[in-house]
Amino acid sequence: MRNQGFAARYQSNCCVLVRVLVLIDIISTNPTLGIKLEKVPLPPAQSLTPEEMERVWSALELLGETKQRDTALVHILSHGLRAGEVVQLNVGSFDSKLLFLPDTKTNEPRLVPLRKESREVLAEYLRSREERSDTKLI
């Protein structure tokens, strides 16, 4: 599988190089126009095992000043959000039960229901931040 990915990238890079050579008039025609590039499937997503997640939760207990924020962040991430979705969250994204994601990978907004424990952790984190008047969720 790894060699397939390398071969596909190599083929794609060669086609790009030839297009540039045509563009700057080094060659007159593009001999790669009829080539169909191989589509290499993405590897499956990898989830953390229960043991690995237990180590994450244990590590959070060792944190100092950022413990509450980092715990809320891990709770949010444990619901399958992408990093790009998390950084776009703000206080208005959370309605005490759901997270609203207006801009996702598929360009479709979505609602993410949170487990009870995650709702409680996030609500407590936001209460502690109210005095700071910060509009970012994390």
Side-chain angles (χ1 to χ4, degrees):
M1 182 68 133
R2 188 174 187 174
N3 288 338
Q4 284 180 328
F6 174 78
R9 283 191 308 276
Y10 182 78
Q11 185 180 26
S12 176
N13 290 341
C14 288
C15 290
V16 169
L17 174 62
V18 170
R19 281 196 305 264
V20 170
L21 293 174
V22 170
L23 186 66
I24 61 174
D25 291 326
I26 301 292
I27 59 175
S28 59
T29 58
N30 186 342
T32 66
L33 287 178
I35 295 177
K36 299 286 185 207
L37 296 179
E38 176 186 354
K39 298 232 185 239
V40 177
L42 293 174
Q46 295 180 352
S47 298
L48 296 178
T49 66
E51 294 80 21
E52 291 169 326
M53 277 307 298
E54 189 55 43
R55 291 200 322 253
V56 170
W57 296 122
S58 296
L60 288 168
E61 293 301 319
L62 303 174
L63 296 177
E65 185 178 314
T66 63
K67 176 182 176 183
Q68 192 175 35
R69 181 204 63 197
D70 294 348
T71 301
L73 179 59
V74 170
H75 273 275
I76 290 171
L77 289 169
S78 73
H79 286 80
L81 276 70
R82 295 175 181 91
E85 295 169 337
V86 173
V87 298
Q88 292 181 22
L89 293 174
N90 59 45
V91 174
S93 302
F94 179 60
D95 74 352
S96 79
K97 291 187 179 183
L98 302 169
L99 285 177
F100 174 66
L101 305 173
D103 188 24
T104 63
K105 180 179 177 181
T106 61
N107 296 321
E108 293 291 326
R110 70 179 175 129
L111 292 172
V112 178
L114 299 180
R115 291 182 296 277
K116 182 180 180 191
E117 182 183 6
S118 297
R119 292 192 310 256
E120 292 169 354
V121 167
L122 190 52
E124 178 59 33
Y125 169 67
L126 292 175
R127 274 193 296 277
S128 73
R129 291 190 43 141
E130 280 180 357
E131 62 213 40
R132 292 173 44 190
S133 301
D134 198 345
T135 59
K136 289 301 250 183
L137 185 60
I138 295 294

